Amino acid sequence: MIALMTVILKLEMLQDSLILEKSQNWSSQKMDHILICCVCLGDNSEDADEIIQCDNCGITVHEGCYGVDGESDSIMSSASENSTEPWFCDACKCGVTPSCELCPNQDGIFKETDAGRWVHIVCALYVPGVAFGDIDKLRPVTLTEMNYSKYGAKECSFCEDPRFARTGVCISCDAGMCRAYFHVTCAQKEGLLSEAAAEEDIADPFFAYCKQHADRLDRKWKRKNYLALQSYCKMSLQEREKQLSPEAQARINARLQQYRAKAELARTTRPQAWVPREKLPRPLTSSASAIRKLMRKAELMGISTDIFPVDTSDTSSSVDGRRKHKQPALTADFVNYYLERNMRMIQIQENMAEQKNIKDKLENEQEKLHVEYNKLCESLEELQNMNGKLRNEGQGIWALLGRIIGQKLNIPAILRAPKERKPSKKEGGTQKASTLPAVLYSCGICKKNHDQHLLLLCDTCKLHYHLGCLDPPLTRMPRKTKNSYWQCSECDQAGSSDMEADIAMETLPDGTKRSRRQIKEPVKFVPQDVPTEPKKIPIRNTRTRGRKRSFAPEEEKPEERIPRERRQRQSVLQKKPKSEDLRTECATCKGTGDNENLVRYPS
């Protein structure tokens, strides 16, 4: 019995080892020939929904995920042993290498839009607002129903190259209020795309979650399948070229040419796609193909694209007016802003040219006036010399007449010197002391006399300064009132409100002299009747440490200090009532007063 049991156990162990070895061989063979759909990343291939492979590019996809109709001329591919007709994807049929309008990635399987553009089928399924003309065949793709403000509105959090992070359209995480944004194909690489089961009746069965909200196990096997799909697509073309005979390859190429001719005929005969009446704005920086062409152009021109900073500002901020400048795009707002800016620049240039002409004319007139002014000054000097000679002759004749009469005659006003003439009160001060015309003042810094209207007089040094020559320069004339004056920076530092400040003469580097007031300390008020208190000095107790210091007057010694009660009595006797505290008298009314109604000004 025991021997029988041992034989049975050995047979079972041998059977298990054979089954395990067979399953391992079968799994290894299956992994070598496994096909993965590039849309859903699934590897289940059934008769109703089989995984087919493009005989030109080697991409694999489910029939249902790509919208392949079984009754059409594109039936099956080389994945089936009974099928002999090749199958090609839409991009291979049209003979193009497409670039997706919704994301920057170039791998994957594409569908053509009604406007002749191309998008990933997975992008068209997951981006909200994208529609299909035929839901069963998933073609043509329509992008006009989607709001074009979504292009470049958000930044992808998975893009490695920041220059492509704002291209296309980014979708958000469907987990509540999560603010993670990413491209559809970037999320597919990370295994973040999900699809509801066929039994669930949901209007939009496609979901996307960020790394934080996605299922870890689900994400792991999707990520594994995506990497296996990429490696298989690269290796399958090389293996198929080695395995296929020249006759089979020629048959596939001939069939591909027929498909391309048929696609070209369909493109020319199909009805024109609907175009909105108003042009839909879209930033140029949101097109990945445009950025690649610009980068290629920069490479050919020898310009490095790494030195230019990447603009990561949010374009949505231009909607609420927080951006001063419009984002460069083919939009109505940017075109209006550009045209308005050009008009303003033209107007500013015309205004500057007109102002420059006026300035040149005024400068020419100023030079002419300076020449005339110099001539008038010379003639005035001659007239003043002649007037002085005639005045001396007149004074001599007037003195001679006084000697003849024997009386001292008063000199008339016309024979007096100009300094002695003073306007009387009856004349209202209209008569001036001298008949000299207005003098052109020179700046105390630049020593030039141009721009007389911009010269500012210092009320202390009596020198004129240009507003622009000052340090710091002034933008407008300071306000002068009856009680306030203006001083230059040097006089302001040396100025003082003391009425008896000493005035010292200072010689400037150019040889001119000006007065500068010396600063004095303000006079402190000291009552005359109250004696000044002696200054107290701290006395350190040398006997013990840590005690408080005691203070005593300088004249007294610590041993001769007056007791506290006695000092208080003396202070009370010496203090006078306020009514009898007659310390001084008013300088105006000569009346007596005290500190309550008198103010002492510094002498």
Side-chain angles (χ1 to χ4, degrees), residues 311-332:
D311 185 13
T312 59
S313 59
D314 194 355
T315 57
S316 61
S317 60
S318 61
V319 179
D320 54 5
R322 286 180 290 178
R323 289 173 62 93
K324 293 183 179 180
H325 303 286
K326 298 289 182 182
Q327 185 181 9
L330 297 177
T331 62

Side-chain angles (χ1 to χ4, degrees), residues 255-269:
R255 191 59 176 169
L256 181 59
Q257 295 300 326
Q258 295 178 3
Y259 276 116
R260 291 181 177 177
K262 184 177 179 180
E264 184 67 24
L265 180 62
R267 185 182 295 107
T268 56
T269 57

Side-chain angles (χ1 to χ4, degrees), residues 49-283:
D49 190 10
E50 194 172 0
I51 297 179
I52 55 179
Q53 183 179 16
C54 178
D55 290 281
N56 183 46
C57 63
I59 196 72
T60 56
V61 67
H62 277 115
E63 292 180 352
C65 294
Y66 198 64
V68 177
D69 192 1
E71 298 178 357
S72 64
D73 52 353
S74 301
I75 300 175
M76 258 302 294
S77 67
S78 58
S80 175
E81 298 178 357
N82 300 326
S83 176
T84 58
E85 184 177 0
W87 178 84
F88 305 100
C89 61
D90 291 353
C92 294
K93 288 180 181 178
C94 296
V96 295
T97 303
S99 178
C100 183
E101 295 292 320
L102 301 176
C103 73
N105 298 312
Q106 294 180 301
D107 298 331
I109 193 164
F110 294 82
K111 280 285 186 178
E112 189 177 9
T113 64
D114 53 358
R117 301 287 183 175
W118 294 87
V119 295
H120 287 108
I121 184 63
V122 65
C123 292
L125 291 173
Y126 280 86
V127 173
V130 180
F132 298 92
D134 190 349
I135 300 177
D136 296 331
K137 297 182 180 180
L138 298 178
R139 63 181 181 184
V141 182
T142 304
L143 301 178
T144 54
E145 297 183 8
M146 182 180 58
N147 189 1
Y148 270 32
S149 63
K150 294 183 179 180
Y151 283 97
K154 301 297 180 180
E155 183 178 358
C156 179
S157 57
F158 296 143
C159 283
E160 298 178 357
D161 194 345
R163 291 171 291 191
F164 294 95
R166 282 192 176 272
T167 57
V169 179
C170 291
I171 61 175
S172 61
C173 177
D174 291 323
M177 300 179 66
C178 182
R179 294 187 178 183
Y181 294 92
F182 37 77
H183 293 117
V184 176
T185 51
C186 294
Q188 188 184 32
K189 288 181 181 179
E190 301 294 333
L192 303 177
L193 301 182
S194 302
E195 185 176 353
E199 295 81 10
E200 301 180 9
D201 189 8
I202 303 176
D204 188 6
F206 302 101
F207 303 93
Y209 298 99
C210 62
K211 293 182 179 180
Q212 185 177 359
H213 298 103
D215 186 15
R216 183 176 297 179
L217 298 177
D218 191 19
R219 177 191 167 197
K220 187 175 181 180
W221 74 261
K222 287 181 180 179
R223 173 71 175 168
K224 181 179 178 181
N225 284 2
Y226 179 83
L227 297 176
L229 174 65
Q230 295 298 318
S231 61
Y232 177 75
C233 290
K234 294 179 181 179
M235 298 298 296
S236 61
L237 291 177
Q238 301 175 0
E239 294 179 356
R240 288 178 66 255
E241 289 178 358
K242 296 178 181 179
Q243 295 176 0
L244 289 176
S245 60
E247 293 81 6
Q249 188 66 34
R251 181 176 59 85
I252 291 174
N253 293 336
R255 191 59 176 169
L256 181 59
Q257 295 300 326
Q258 295 178 3
Y259 276 116
R260 291 181 177 177
K262 184 177 179 180
E264 184 67 24
L265 180 62
R267 185 182 295 107
T268 56
T269 57
R270 68 183 177 187
Q272 190 176 2
W274 177 82
V275 178
R277 295 181 179 179
E278 297 182 359
K279 291 185 177 180
L280 300 177
R282 178 181 174 185

Side-chain angles (χ1 to χ4, degrees), residues 418-555:
K419 295 181 180 179
E420 299 177 2
R421 295 181 59 189
K422 296 181 180 179
S424 61
K425 294 183 180 179
K426 295 182 179 179
E427 296 174 350
T430 57
Q431 186 179 3
K432 296 184 180 180
S434 62
T435 58
L436 294 175
V439 182
L440 293 178
Y441 300 104
S442 299
C443 178
I445 298 177
C446 65
K447 309 303 177 185
K448 296 181 180 179
N449 57 2
H450 65 279
D451 296 335
Q452 292 287 313
H453 64 288
L454 298 179
L455 285 173
L456 182 59
L457 175 63
C458 177
D459 294 306
T460 303
C461 62
K462 303 301 180 182
L463 292 179
H464 293 78
Y465 300 96
H466 284 118
L467 298 180
C469 295
L470 295 171
D471 187 19
L474 299 180
T475 57
R476 60 180 178 84
M477 285 286 183
R479 232 178 241 182
K480 292 185 179 182
T481 61
K482 190 175 181 180
N483 299 324
S484 64
Y485 303 95
W486 180 84
Q487 292 179 332
C488 60
S489 58
E490 296 184 4
C491 296
D492 185 34
Q493 295 175 2
S496 175
S497 60
D498 191 359
M499 300 300 295
E500 295 183 356
D502 296 336
I503 299 177
M505 298 302 296
E506 180 184 6
T507 304
L508 297 177
D510 56 351
T512 60
K513 295 184 178 181
R514 68 175 183 180
S515 60
R516 170 174 287 187
R517 293 183 178 180
Q518 302 295 330
I519 301 175
K520 275 192 173 183
E521 294 183 358
V523 180
K524 298 181 181 179
F525 172 71
V526 180
Q528 297 178 358
D529 299 336
V530 180
T532 57
E533 295 182 1
K535 188 177 180 182
K536 297 180 180 180
I537 57 174
I539 298 177
R540 181 176 296 176
N541 193 350
T542 56
R543 294 183 180 180
T544 58
R545 298 180 62 184
R547 295 184 181 180
K548 295 183 179 180
R549 297 180 181 179
S550 59
F551 294 86
E554 293 180 352
E555 300 177 355

